[in-house]
Amino acid sequence: MSAAIPDHLVVAARTLEEGRAWVEGRLGVGMQPGGEHALFGTHNALLSLGPDLYLEVIAVNPAAPSPPRPRWFGLDTPTVRARLEGGPVLLHWVARVPDLLGVDLSGHGEGLELSRGEHRWTLTVPADGLLPGGGPLQGVLPSLIAWHTPPPPTRLPDAGVRLLTLRLGTPDPDALRAFLSALPLAGDVEVYEAPQPELAALLETPGGMVTL
């Protein structure tokens, strides 16, 4: 299998407006409209991080009906809701693979065929809606995505923002490295030991370096 690459960063917020204002205020650039995810009752806004990578702000869509299954990224859980009460957070990341055939999906969840507007993709989502990995890897183990149409960065305007380093902290760095080495992963991803799962992104913006 050819190397996977980071596909996008996931910033979650109580509302899309709050999340978009937080990202734009931190990075000093404007975000682009995204769309709605009917299966999960969410919507998003997007920001290019270069030709192969982007950032999304995601939030529960108050105009959408309750979804038939738990929302992705743990958005229905008390733990994530409590985190978002303190403001938007960099919650998760997604790695792109050419396809999911032959990929060990242990800990990642099932591969769902999804769409938003003209975009089509397969994404791993645990049936319970929690962030993948569980325990010391929850949230730092990436969801896996295989695009069936050109990914969003190919259509987003270049905002002059680039990801320099994605930092992943976990109580079990060896287990995370083993998961990532099995992809294998291309890109500047740093794994380190931390008391609990945590992630941070060092970004170069038109106004200087910013960490989310």
Side-chain angles (χ1 to χ4, degrees):
M1 184 181 70
S2 57
I5 63 171
D7 182 79
H8 67 276
L9 308 179
V10 180
V11 171
R14 290 175 296 185
T15 69
L16 190 58
E17 294 77 14
E18 180 185 39
R20 181 170 183 164
W22 184 79
V23 169
E24 292 179 343
R26 296 292 300 276
L27 303 185
V29 297
M31 298 194 72
Q32 302 299 311
E36 300 181 0
H37 312 104
L39 182 61
F40 292 104
T42 56
H43 54 176
N44 66 0
L46 307 176
L47 175 69
S48 168
L49 299 180
D52 298 313
L53 182 66
Y54 68 102
L55 179 152
E56 77 167 336
V57 169
I58 194 165
V60 172
N61 182 0
S66 296
R69 57 177 292 154
R71 291 183 177 91
W72 47 11
F73 307 130
L75 293 177
D76 286 333
T77 65
T79 299
V80 171
R81 288 181 176 179
R83 288 184 66 186
L84 299 185
E85 286 300 315
V89 297
L90 177 60
L91 185 67
H92 191 45
W93 69 293
V94 178
R96 187 189 313 165
V97 295
D99 60 63
L100 293 176
L101 295 177
V103 177
D104 182 4
L105 298 184
S106 302
H108 293 282
E110 59 183 318
L112 297 180
E113 298 297 324
L114 301 171
S115 64
R116 177 181 60 78
E118 57 193 7
H119 296 292
R120 302 287 184 274
W121 68 95
T122 303
L123 180 74
T124 56
V125 182
D128 56 13
L130 298 180
L131 290 168
L137 301 183
Q138 192 164 55
V140 293
L141 183 74
S143 298
L144 301 178
I145 192 168
W147 287 96
H148 308 311
T149 55
T154 62
R155 306 183 187 189
L156 291 171
D158 191 341
V161 181
R162 296 292 185 270
L163 174 67
L164 299 180
T165 306
L166 181 63
R167 305 188 70 240
L168 309 172
T170 170
D172 194 348
D174 290 340
L176 181 57
R177 291 189 186 103
F179 267 114
L180 298 182
S181 66
L183 287 175
L185 191 71
D188 195 355
V189 178
E190 176 187 340
V191 176
Y192 62 96
E193 187 170 0
Q196 60 187 12
E198 59 187 32
L199 68 161
L202 176 62
L203 300 166
E204 182 179 25
T205 78
M209 303 299 182
V210 176
T211 298
L212 296 182

